[in-house]
Amino acid sequence: RRQRHDLALARAARDRGVPTLGVCLGVQLINVAAGGSLVQDIKSSLTDALNHSGRTGNRERHQISLVPGSRLATILGVSEVDVNSGHHQSVANAGSGLKIVARSEDGVSEAVEDAAHPFYVGVQWHPEEMLSEESARRLFGALAAAALEFRLQRKS
């Protein structure tokens, strides 16, 4: 029931233009809600995979490359960023209207977005555990700005 509910919420947020940031399982949910598919287990699917698993406080770190011109690259203001990692699944094929906009050096997808939506972004890493870092501050700042804009538009 929870999965059905979460998928319905992701679809409703996207349909209504609600600013949305999916984190870790959230990016996977956003993708599946749009009809995309997942790599079920990175380690067994990719022989040269980095260690993407880890737990809060002990996550592996690695670089990701951002697609130039993507919303995420614009928000972060860089072409590469160091992120933490704590997952064994990832986006395989992007769902309808979504684009993979970041990958780790082993090819694992690290972020998706819908460029036609005011702010519909999913990241595979955990920016909530990186609050002292510029990338996390920029990402959450962009979400807050999009939420404020959404609220102001609804009031008009």
Side-chain angles (χ1 to χ4, degrees), residues 3 7 24-33 35-42 45 88-95 109 112 124:
Q3 286 177 342
L7 289 167
C24 196
L25 177 59
V27 68
Q28 297 166 18
L29 184 89
I30 282 171
N31 191 57
V32 170
S37 62
L38 300 178
V39 172
Q40 293 300 312
D41 184 59
I42 295 168
S45 300
H88 75 97
Q89 294 181 310
S90 66
V91 170
N93 297 303
S109 60
V112 299
Q124 192 60 71

Side-chain angles (χ1 to χ4, degrees), residues 48-134:
D48 295 330
L50 298 170
N51 183 5
H52 288 272
S53 61
R55 301 210 181 277
T56 302
N58 191 28
R59 297 201 194 275
E60 295 287 329
R61 303 277 305 214
H62 58 80
Q63 289 287 118
I64 62 168
S65 296
L66 304 163
V67 172
S70 65
R71 175 176 284 125
L72 188 58
T74 301
I75 289 167
L76 299 183
V78 295
S79 60
E80 291 186 342
V81 66
D82 185 60
V83 298
N84 59 20
S85 199
H87 58 99
H88 75 97
Q89 294 181 310
S90 66
V91 170
N93 297 303
S96 177
L98 297 178
K99 183 177 178 187
I100 296 171
V101 295
R103 290 191 183 273
S104 56
E105 60 193 56
D106 59 4
V108 170
S109 60
E110 294 281 347
V112 299
E113 64 184 40
D114 178 351
H117 188 284
F119 191 98
Y120 198 74
V121 176
V123 298
Q124 192 60 71
W125 66 93
H126 288 269
E128 77 281 6
E129 295 176 7
M130 301 168 51
L131 296 177
S132 65
E133 299 177 39
E134 183 68 17

